[in-house]
Every structure is written in structure tokens, then in C-alpha cells.
């Protein structure tokens, strides 16, 4: 499992030479911080994208949003996957989505009426772009979310974060999803197909002026990484040349949480993937990146020497 | 020399306070070994400092032993050297056994399964699978995550990991960006048009994204123009525009048929009953339609649903 501390320094520095960030580390590790510091003006509009399908965009969006809301940072999760929406399922809100952005555009309801509030997390709202079988007005499709983000910015209760769950591919859905974004979270799995798509998407985002792109490497199996059967998060980073926001291990609890409609970060007790997503949320809030990655399982010195082994 | 004295002191440590010993071993014991194996000068210095600290602790222990009541000393004098040797071996044996027990229990702890965590009291049991919010923990520093900055190792869920520093530099990052900007030259389309439709005169073909007819965005045509749609999104309060327009149209029609008195015309009440208004409006709108029953029922079901979710959804950020 490839978790890392936030600003961990690669090598221990003598205390005299420790820069400010070391103090931050010790503050975090010994001072018991309870919340990250929000960096930058709000709302921060972040698109979660990947290019390739099924790598974990929706899982990431749901968990980042839930984690933010639990930290008391109001978040609006936008499901921009008009054709195959499932963010509502992951958040357990599927029975409560009756009004969508399409209804707002048509003048059937106001934007605030189309936001679905999570029952347990008061700071979490969901907005779906359209109903599965209804179609979104074509003519201003790409502007819809720009208006939405702008309207939320002007609303009296501006959210701290607008997280947009981007559909797979780079077609109209992608164009719509990235239009209002200022930052991007690029989700990828450590395999070559996902990486090629991720690189392409990063290129398109950069062409569009979104330069703040961070990667989340999802579904990492440390045992395979150690056996060199899987790329490590560092290999992924080397290929994409982008800062790391998080490394999320493969975790069977992801599916269980999907089935329960409760984002993994809310699991009690915490799970490895949930904790990794929680860490990614803190970094996102603080505009922090990973400085070290846990790449490989340490060989535990297993002494089979019997009773007197401690003398040796 | 120092190692020998530490080893000698171990049984006493164990006998005196197994918990204390366990704590010390976990925290201090590996460091001198690491330090002595290191070639780094500062590490060696640190190691010597730690060795010094260890020796002083050993000294403490000796003082402790020396301060044992004189009766013990006199007993020691009166017993044979053989017995002393046997006693020492016995103590060593006990110490080894105790150590094994400790190691086993720690291994057990380190398996990191949820049941283990619950048993150790690090987690509350019985809340798995509920939507109850977990009390907040710093995700970088809690009972499951221990990061040892000194040794570049981390413990997570009872497993140990090596920390590898991120190697990406700013220059490399910029290089990748340049590579991509050469490889993917792209301009975000701003207009979507359905494949087969003709290009409107005022639209730059470079900004168009052509969309296949089966795409979820490919609606036949939108009933509202862009400016209205935008205003709809920006609308903060009041009756949504189409609902209002429908209501006004209905009222006009009713006025024409001299039936105004049957509907409330107060805009305030309309605001609160926007959905029922619509449902009551639709069927009468379709009065002339031959499909009145079917459509009327459909519409009222739809509207009923809308009115209920209107209330459940309307408690949005601006909705309270
Ligand atoms: N860390 C993980 N461990 C195990 N399973 C995972 C993990 N992340 C995602 N999954 C599983 O992968 C599948 C796809 O995840 P998800 O729906 O989040 O991907 P997506 O990128 O949103 O897909 P799409 O492109 O279809 O929108 C889901 O079944 C999910 O449970
Ligand atoms: Mg998805």
C-alpha cells in the first residue's frame, strides 16, 4: 500500500537545518491537527477526470466530496456523466435525484432546488447534469457547468469546493465537465492503457489552460509492485511528469461501500483506501503534494532462531 | 562491550517491568544498532549519544541492583557459585520465554485485521456498515498510521513500508508539459452541433464539436434560448421561469374563459405551491385533448413526484 505522509522529507535533517515545512510536519504529526488549512479563493472548481473508463473517477469524486464535507468544507459534487451517471449511487442519493441541471436550464426549477443535500453530511450536495434517459440541451451543453459554477460562486452560501465527476473519454461530456474547472485531479491506474489516456487528457487540460493537474494513482497492489509485476506510483509519476495527490490501494471495501451507498472515507473503522483518499483530501485542500511514497512492503526480520535468538 | 552490558541488563529489565521494557525496546533498541552500522558521521555521533544514554540507564539499573537490601547480598554470599550459575541460566531462560511471548503477541497485533484493531481498543466495534460518521482523525497521524521520519519507514494498518522520496523535479515537470503541448494541440470546442445539422452562419467551425445523434447531449432542440437558459441557472429565488410562464399562460387562458376566480392569483402563494399549481394547470390545459385521461394521470404523477422532491431537494444551500 502506497500511503505517504504529507510533507515528509526524504531524508532526516538535523534540527538546525530544518526549514519551515519540517515544523509543519512535526506540528501535524505531534500536534494532532484536526483539519487542513484551506488554500486559495473559493469555490475551488476541481474536475476529476481520467480519459480511460472505470479507473475510479466516480469513487474518487464521491470520497473527496464526503471527506471535504466532513471537514466542514461545503462541497458540491457534480455528476457530469450524463449518459452513465452513478455518483448518486456512491453517495446513496439515487432515490432523491428528481431535478437535474437540465431542469434548471429549462426553467422547471431553480439551481438550489436541484441540489440534493446529503442527509448525514450537511455540507455535501449533489447535482446531476441530467436524467439517464433525458437529453441535455445541445446548444449550450458546454456552457451549462460554467454557468452552474458561476451561479454557485455568486450564491450567498458559496461552497468551498465544486467537484466535477467527468465522464470517460474526451468527447462532449469531457468538454462540458472541464469547462468551468481551474484544477484537475487526474485518476489513473498503474497500467499502460490508463496511463496513455491520462497523458492525453493531461495534454488537453493543459491546452485548455488548466495547469494545476495532480494525479491519484488508484488500485495499487503493493505486493505486485514489490514483485515488479506492477508499476509503482513513482513509475506512474515519472511517465506523466505530474505531482502526486494520492496513491490509493486496491481495496475490496471500495465495492462494499459502493453497494452500501456510503463513501469509503466514512467507514468506521477506516480502511486502507479510505485513509488514502482522506489523505488526498487534505493535500487537495492545502494544495499540497506527496513528497514520498510507500512503495514496498518491508521485510519483517522473522527470526526463527528459537528462545535465545535475542542474544545473537 | 556496551552490547554485552545491555544484554546482561535485559533479564533485569524484564523482571522489573515488562511493559517498560517493551516500550524501550520498541523505541530505543533498534537505533544504536542502526547507528553503528551507518557510515554517516552525524549518525555515528547520534548513535554514540544514544549509546551513552543506554549506558547511563544500565548504570541506573546497576545502582538499583546495588541498592537491593543488604539481606539479599548476605544470601548471595551464603549460596554456592553453582547455584548462582543455575539461577542466572534460569533467569535467562525465563527472559527468553517472556520475549517470545511478547513477540508473538506483537505479531498478532501486527496482523492489522479489523478484529485485531477492535480487540486492541483502537477502533470501536459494531459500527461497521452504518452511515454513522466516524469521529475525525488526522489521516496522517492516528492509531493506524505511524510514520517514522528518522528511518524513512511507515507503519500502516500494522504493516511496514519503506518510504521512497518523490524524484520529480520542476524541470522534469516542465519538460513533460512541453512534450504534451507539442503532442496534443487542442482547442476546447464551445459549440455542440448534431452531426448532419448545418453550420449556423455566425459560428466558427473550429469551435464546433459534432455530436452523434445517439449522444446524451443530442436533444432534438432546446425549448429555451441561451440567454433564458443562463438566466434560469442564475435565478436565486422566486418561481422558475417556465413554471411562471406556464402559469401566466394558463391564467390568460382562464381569464379568457372567465374562470379566473377558480385559481389563486397571489404570486406569494404561487411561490409556495409552484408544483401543485403546475399539476393543477396541466390537466386543464389538456382538457380538449382526446388523450386526457392517460396524459392527465401521467402529468399528475410526474408533478406529484416533482412536488415531493421539490421539498426534499429545495433545502439546498440557498434553499433554507
Ligand atoms: N481502489 C479500488 N479498489 C478496488 N476497487 C476499486 C477501487 N477503485 C475503484 N474500484 C472499482 O472500480 C470500478 C469503477 O470505479 P468508478 O465507477 O469509480 O470508475 P469511473 O472512472 O468513474 O468509471 P466510469 O468511467 O465508468 O465513470 C468500481 O466497481 C469500483 O468499485
Ligand atoms: Mg464514473
Amino acid at each position: 500500500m502506497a500511503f505517504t505522509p504529507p510533507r515528509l522529507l526524504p531524508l532526516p535533517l538535523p534540527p538546525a537545518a530544518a526549514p519551515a515545512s519540517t515544523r509543519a510536519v512535526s506540528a501535524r504529526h505531534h500536534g494532532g491537527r484536526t483539519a487542513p488549512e484551506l488554500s486559495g479563493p473559493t469555490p475551488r472548481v476541481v474536475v476529476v477526470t481520467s480519459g480511460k473508463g472505470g479507473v475510479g473517477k466516480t469513487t474518487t469524486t464521491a470520497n473527496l466530496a464526503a471527506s471535504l464535507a466532513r471537514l466542514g468544507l461545503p462541497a458540491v459534487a457534480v455528476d457530469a456523466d450524463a449518459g452513465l451517471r452513478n455518483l448518486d449511487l456512491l453517495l446513496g442519493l439515487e432515490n432523491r435525484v428528481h431535478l437535474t441541471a437540465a431542469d434548471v436550464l429549462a426553467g422547471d426549477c431553480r439551481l438550489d432546488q436541484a441540489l440534493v443535500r446529503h442527509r448525514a453530511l450537511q455540507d455535501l450536495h449533489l447535482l446531476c447534469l441530467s436524467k439517464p434517459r433525458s437529453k441535455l440541451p445541445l446548444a449550450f451543453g458546454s456552457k451549462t457547468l460554467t454557468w452552474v459554477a458561476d451561479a454557485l460562486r455568486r450564491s450567498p452560501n458559496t461552497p468551498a469546493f465544486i467537484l466535477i465527476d467527468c465522464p470517460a473519454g474526451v468527447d462532449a461530456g469531457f468538454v462540458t465537465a472541464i469547462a468551468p474547472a481551474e484544477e484537475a485531479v487526474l485518476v489513473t491506474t498503474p497500467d499502460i492503457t490508463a496511463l496513455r489516456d491520462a497523458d492525453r487528457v493531461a495534454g488537453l487540460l493543459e491546452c485548455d489552460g488548466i495547469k494545476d493537474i495532480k494525479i491519484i494513482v488508484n488500485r495499487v497492489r503493493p505486493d505486485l509492485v514489490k514483485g515488479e509485476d506492477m508499476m509503482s506510483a513513482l513509475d506512474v509519476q515519472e511517465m506523466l511528469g505530474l505531482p502526486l495527490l494520492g496513491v490509493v490501494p486496491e481495496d475490496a471495501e471500495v465495492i462494499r461501500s459502493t453497494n452500501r451507498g456510503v463513501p469509503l472515507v466514512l467507514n468506521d473503522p477506516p480502511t486502507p483506501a479510505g485513509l488514502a483518499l482522506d489523505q488526498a483530501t487534505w493535500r487537495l485542500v492545502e494544495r499540497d503534494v506527496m513528497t514520498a511514497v510507500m512503495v514496498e512492503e518491508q521485510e519483517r526480520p522473522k527470526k526463527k532462531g528459537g528462545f535465545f535468538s535475542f542474544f545473537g | 562491550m556496551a552490547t554485552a552490558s545491555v544484554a546482561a541488563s535485559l533479564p533485569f529489565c524484564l523482571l522489573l517491568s515488562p511493559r517498560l521494557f517493551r516500550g524501550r525496546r520498541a523505541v530505543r533498541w533498534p537505533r544504536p544498532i542502526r547507528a553503528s552500522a551507518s557510515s554517516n558521521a552525524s549518525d555515528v555521533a547520534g548513535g554514540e549519544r544514544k549509546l551513552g544514554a543506554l549506558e547511563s540507564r544500565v548504570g541506573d539499573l546497576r545502582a538499583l541492583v546495588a541498592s537491593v537490601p543488604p539481606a539479599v547480598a548476605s544470601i548471595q554470599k551464603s549460596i554456592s557459585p553453582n547455584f548462582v550459575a543455575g539461577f542466572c541460566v534460569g533467569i535467562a531462560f525465563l527472559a527468553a520465554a517472556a520475549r517470545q511471548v511478547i513477540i508473538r503477541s506483537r505479531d498478532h497485533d501486527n496482523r492489522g485485521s479489523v478484529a485485531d484493531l477492535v480487540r486492541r481498543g483502537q477502533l470501536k466495534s459494531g459500527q461497521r456498515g452504518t452511515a454513522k460518521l466516524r469521529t475525525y482523525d488526522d489521516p496522517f497521524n492516528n492509531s493506524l498510521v505511524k510514520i517514522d521520519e528518522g528511518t524513512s519507514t511507515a507503519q500502516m494498518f500494522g504493516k511496514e513500508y519503506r518510504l521512497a522520496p518523490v524524484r520529480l523535479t520542476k524541470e522534469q515537470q516542465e519538460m513533460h508539459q512541453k512534450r504534451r503541448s507539442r503532442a496534443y494541440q487542442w482547442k476546447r470546442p464551445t459549440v455542440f452541433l448534431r452531426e448532419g445539422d448545418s453550420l449556423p452562419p455566425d459560428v466558427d467551425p473550429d469551435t464546433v464539436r459534432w455530436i452523434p445523434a445517439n449522444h446524451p447531449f443530442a436533444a432534438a432542440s432546446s425549448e429555451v434560448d441561451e440567454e433564458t437558459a443562463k438566466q434560469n441557472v442564475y435565478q436565486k429565488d422566486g418561481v422558475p421561469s417556465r413554471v411562471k410562464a406556464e402559469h401566466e399562460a394558463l391564467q390568460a387562458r382562464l381569464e379568457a374563459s372567465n374562470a379566473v376566480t377558480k385559481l389563486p392569483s397571489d404570486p406569494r402563494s404561487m411561490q409556495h405551491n409552484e408544483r401543485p399549481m403546475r399539476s393543477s394547470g396541466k390537466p386543464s390545459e389538456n382538457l380538449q385533448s382526446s388523450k386526457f385521461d392517460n396524459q392527465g394521470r401521467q402529468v399528475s404523477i410526474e408533478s406529484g413526484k416533482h412536488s415531493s422532491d421539490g421539498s426534499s431537494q429545495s433545502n439546498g444551500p440557498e434553499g433554507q
Side-chain angles (χ1 to χ4, degrees), chain A residues 1 3-6 8 10 12 25 28-30 33-34 70-71 82-83 96-99 104-117 120-121 125 129 135-138 140-143 147-148 150-151 154-157 170-176 178-179 199-200 202-204 206-208 234 237-243 253 260 265-272 275 278-279 282-283 290-298 300 302 306-307 309-310, chain B residues 7 10 92-93 95-97 99-100 107 110 114 123-124 127-134 136-142 144-145 147 149-150 152-154 156-168 173 176-177 179-181 184-186 188-194 209 211 213-219 222 224-226 228-230 232-243 274-275 278 305-306 309-310 312-320:
Chain A
M1 272 166 284
F3 297 90
T4 66
L8 192 90
V25 169
R28 181 177 283 172
H29 289 285
H30 310 297
R33 293 177 57 189
T34 53
R70 190 185 42 202
L71 289 166
R96 298 183 43 212
V97 181
H98 303 295
L99 301 169
V104 179
L105 287 174
D108 283 338
C109 70
R110 296 187 313 266
L111 178 57
D112 59 287
Q113 293 173 315
L115 296 173
V116 188
R117 172 181 271 175
L121 290 166
H125 289 86
L129 206 52
K135 300 210 164 188
L136 201 69
L138 179 70
F140 29 81
S142 73
K143 296 184 193 99
W147 294 335
V148 165
D150 206 29
R154 294 182 194 189
S155 84
N157 304 309
V170 290
D171 72 354
F174 170 77
V175 172
T176 304
I178 68 162
D199 192 63
R200 171 127 192 264
L204 302 194
E206 281 160 357
C207 289
D208 196 47
L234 289 179
Q237 175 171 52
E238 207 158 291
M239 292 181 71
L240 293 175
L242 292 167
E253 286 293 326
R260 285 207 318 264
V265 288
L266 304 183
N267 255 27
D268 190 8
T271 66
L275 209 51
D278 237 358
Q279 295 178 337
W282 280 53
R283 293 191 195 100
M290 293 172 86
T291 54
V293 178
M294 294 182 204
V295 277
E296 129 194 11
E297 225 164 328
Q298 198 98 9
R300 181 185 296 285
K302 265 268 183 273
F307 284 157
S309 58
F310 78 95
Chain B
L10 279 173
F93 186 82
R99 184 173 172 274
Q100 288 299 319
D107 270 7
N110 274 340
V114 168
L123 297 169
K124 283 172 262 115
Q127 278 161 17
R128 240 180 141 61
T130 64
K132 186 179 165 291
L133 295 192
R134 174 159 66 86
Y136 197 72
D137 258 346
D138 183 340
F140 300 101
N141 178 27
N142 58 49
L144 301 170
V145 185
I147 290 147
E149 290 155 50
S152 280
T153 56
M156 196 83 62
F157 287 88
K159 282 186 179 175
E160 263 179 48
Y161 297 91
R162 184 173 62 83
L163 290 167
V166 161
R167 299 181 290 258
L168 185 76
Q173 215 170 313
H176 277 277
Q177 235 181 59
R179 167 182 65 78
R180 273 192 291 261
S181 78
Y184 314 105
Q185 277 158 16
W186 189 68
R188 175 156 55 89
T190 51
V191 181
F192 295 164
L193 287 175
R194 196 154 49 149
R209 174 107 209 172
I211 290 174
N214 62 357
H215 192 276
F217 285 3
S222 102
V224 285
D225 61 283
E226 186 170 327
T228 316
K230 190 173 173 183
N232 288 341
V233 175
Y234 282 86
Q235 185 175 0
K236 282 201 185 102
D237 37 40
V239 186
S241 70
R242 187 150 92 186
V243 178
E274 50 206 41
R275 291 299 170 183
R278 207 180 151 205
K305 212 170 78 189
H306 270 210
D309 60 48
S312 76
Q313 284 197 171
S314 64
N315 40 1
E318 302 98 318
Q320 309 99 332

Side-chain angles (χ1 to χ4, degrees), chain A residues 57-58 81 86 165-166:
Chain A
K57 294 178 291 296
T58 309
D81 203 339
N86 43 27
D165 181 21
C166 184

Side-chain angles (χ1 to χ4, degrees), chain A residues 23-57:
Chain A
R23 282 199 296 278
V25 169
S26 40
R28 181 177 283 172
H29 289 285
H30 310 297
R33 293 177 57 189
T34 53
E37 269 167 53
L38 181 60
S39 152
T42 57
R44 284 175 56 190
V45 188
V46 183
V47 63
V48 180
T49 181
S50 72
K52 188 171 185 280
V55 296
K57 294 178 291 296

